[in-house]
Structure formats: C-alpha cells, structure tokens
Amino acid sequence: MTVIDDFVADATARMNKSVEATHEHFNSVRTGRASAALLDRILIDYYGTPSPLKNLATINVPEPRMLTIQPFDSSAIKQVERAILESNLGLTPSNDGKMIRLPIPQLTEERRKELAKLVRTMAEEGRVAVRNVRRDVMRHLEELVKNGEVGDDEERAAESRVQKLTDDHVQQIEELLKHKEAEIMEV
C-alpha cells in the first residue's frame, strides 16, 4: 500500500461521510408523510441534560400522517411537548397524559417549493464537502511530487482516481436529492 493509496482510501472515507451526512440532513426535512426520522434532531432537557428524543421515548408511525410518541418516563411528557413546539417543524403536539400524538398536516404548494429549495441547498453543501475533500487530496498529491516522493505519472493516475471518486459521490448526492424532491412534491 503506497502513500497515494492511503490518500485515496482517506478521501473515500471522508466522501462517504459527506454523502451520509447529506442523507441525514434530508431525513430531517418534513415531507407530507410521517417519518420517525423527523424527530431525530430534537433534544429534550431531561433533568438538566440535553438528550435525544429517541432515547427517551418510543416513536411510532401508526398512520401515514400521524406520529405517536410515548415517553418512557410519563413525567417528561411536558418537556417533550415543549421541545417539539420549539423545534420549528411546524407541528402541533397533543397529549393524553401518556402519549403525544403528532398529526402531520398536508403541505401547501408554496411550502413544498420552500422545502425543495432547502433540500437543494443541503445537497449543494454535500457536493461542496465532497469537492473540498478532493481539493485537499489534490494538494497533498502535489506536495508529494514536489518532495520527490512520487512521479508525475503516479500523480496523474491518482488524480484521475480521486476525480472518479468525486464524480461517483456527487452522483450519489444527486440521486438522494432527486428522491427527496420527488417525496416532497408528492401530493
């Protein structure tokens, strides 16, 4: 395994993380359909410690437009409700003392377009992250040539490998974007 292989392996791992992070961001965007992933970024102040909601409650999707949240500790129901209201998801919880019901309203056409624009912005951030990894690796390859550790031919071969990696990862982000936009625009 050469130094170049190390750089390419590192680049692959970092680009995979960028694609995965973009996918996680997409999951937090509300579509017309209920999804437990909507609540992934919500933190509850539980006895002075910010804790993820999914660690404090069972989240179910009983119907396509409804989420139910059942806290393990029923005394935390008010904090859970407050955190959902403050989360900017545009959802209004209702509770019966044991369980919180979260109806997912139909999205308006205007809101769908806003969400699609938001998702495109997230995708662009993901593509930029992938390109930044490529830029870093290219800079390291140039330094290796300058220091005489590798030849020009090896550098050119490595650069084409890194460019192919970049193109593949950008394509993965494009596929995720296309899928998410279709999900958002679906009525």
Side-chain angles (χ1 to χ4, degrees):
M1 184 109 156
T2 65
V3 176
I4 289 177
D5 290 335
D6 288 342
F7 281 133
V8 171
D10 179 52
T12 304
R14 288 171 52 199
M15 286 180 186
N16 285 340
K17 283 181 187 164
S18 295
V19 170
E20 190 56 41
T22 303
H23 190 235
E24 301 268 324
H25 279 70
F26 283 178
N27 281 341
S28 70
V29 173
R30 183 163 80 87
T31 60
R33 207 179 273 149
S35 163
L38 273 177
L39 306 174
D40 279 355
R41 291 197 294 184
I42 293 183
L43 295 175
I44 311 299
D45 184 25
Y46 190 65
Y47 294 110
T49 308
S51 307
L53 176 59
K54 61 184 174 186
N55 293 356
L56 301 176
T58 305
I59 302 169
N60 290 312
V61 186
E63 322 169 3
R65 295 203 178 283
M66 175 75 69
L67 286 172
T68 59
I69 304 158
Q70 190 160 17
F72 303 130
D73 176 3
S74 58
S75 68
I77 205 159
K78 286 289 181 212
Q79 290 102 307
V80 171
E81 215 172 11
R82 188 177 319 111
I84 292 168
L85 283 169
E86 293 171 354
S87 69
N88 270 347
L89 285 174
L91 301 174
T92 310
S94 65
N95 85 61
D96 61 9
K98 293 185 182 77
M99 181 185 296
I100 296 175
R101 285 181 176 64
L102 208 52
I104 309 291
Q106 188 78 16
L107 292 173
T108 63
E109 187 64 29
E110 188 178 314
R111 184 71 179 133
R112 285 179 202 283
K113 287 178 181 166
E114 285 174 24
L115 290 173
K117 197 182 293 183
L118 174 70
V119 168
R120 281 193 287 275
T121 303
M122 291 174 171
E124 183 56 32
E125 288 169 3
R127 289 189 291 262
V128 167
V130 168
R131 290 186 197 117
N132 285 342
V133 172
R134 178 191 63 193
R135 186 192 63 220
D136 291 347
V137 171
M138 295 296 196
R139 192 178 312 123
H140 288 303
L141 290 172
E142 287 169 10
E143 286 174 16
L144 288 176
V145 170
K146 245 187 248 168
N147 297 340
E149 294 176 42
V150 295
D152 286 341
D153 293 344
E154 292 169 302
E155 181 204 17
R156 269 194 290 286
E159 282 179 356
S160 68
R161 279 171 63 192
V162 171
Q163 185 59 50
K164 172 138 179 44
L165 261 179
T166 303
D167 294 343
D168 291 348
H169 285 83
V170 166
Q171 184 58 41
Q172 287 176 27
I173 290 174
E174 289 302 316
E175 292 297 318
L176 291 171
L177 173 64
K178 201 183 318 175
H179 178 73
K180 189 65 178 186
E181 277 186 322
E183 206 176 281
I184 289 171
M185 294 314 231
E186 180 184 307
V187 179

